[in-house]
Amino acid sequence: MPTALDNRQRSPRGPLRAFVARLVPGKARTGIDDRDANERVAVVATLLPGSRERAAEILAKGAPYGLGLAGFRQHSVFLAAEPVIFVFEGPAIEGLVRDLVDDPVRSAAFSVWAPLLDGTPRLAQEEFHWEAGRPQ
């Protein structure tokens, strides 16, 4: 079974570029102003066995770039034994995530994750969302 050290030579931006290439436009809107609509995208990655503790250390330091300056409204990371899920929220989320990954300075910060991941991160499309005060 591969360890985190076996993956040291992988490009840190390769897996991110793969999932960004598969991003799809947001779902149809309700009567809410589209320019201000909050969209969400989740990226699901699988940690190599024994990598959870290191992942928690990375997350404890916070985001390695200015989330607000990048245009995101919210960002969450969920960490379990093997999966790690990154949720990005903001207007026109596809463009925001693409800009983040394509920026060589900001995306270099993702290199810390490369030795911890098993395979390529996958995009999880939002299929249901409920919010108080919004039409269903």
Side-chain angles (χ1 to χ4, degrees), residues 5-124:
L5 297 176
D6 295 330
N7 290 332
R8 211 174 269 169
Q9 299 303 316
R10 278 197 301 194
S11 166
R13 289 174 34 170
L16 293 170
R17 285 189 188 282
F19 89 78
V20 169
R22 293 188 307 244
L23 284 175
V24 294
K27 296 190 183 280
R29 304 265 180 235
T30 61
I32 300 167
D33 184 356
D34 284 351
R35 292 170 293 168
D36 196 42
N38 205 41
E39 298 174 352
R40 284 164 294 282
V41 66
V43 178
V44 181
T46 302
L47 294 170
L48 289 167
S51 297
R52 189 193 187 286
E53 185 176 325
R54 177 66 183 127
E57 291 171 3
I58 293 168
L59 293 171
K61 294 178 183 176
Y65 47 84
L67 291 164
L69 294 175
F72 296 105
R73 289 190 179 150
Q74 293 185 37
H75 177 53
S76 302
V77 181
F78 297 85
L79 183 60
E82 290 182 2
V84 58
I85 303 166
F86 302 85
V87 179
F88 297 90
E89 297 186 42
I93 196 67
E94 179 181 352
L96 294 177
V97 173
R98 188 176 310 280
D99 290 347
L100 178 64
V101 173
D102 287 344
D103 182 307
V105 174
R106 292 187 295 173
S107 66
F110 300 131
S111 65
V112 69
W113 286 98
L116 306 181
L117 301 182
D118 183 15
T120 302
R122 297 164 312 279
L123 175 70

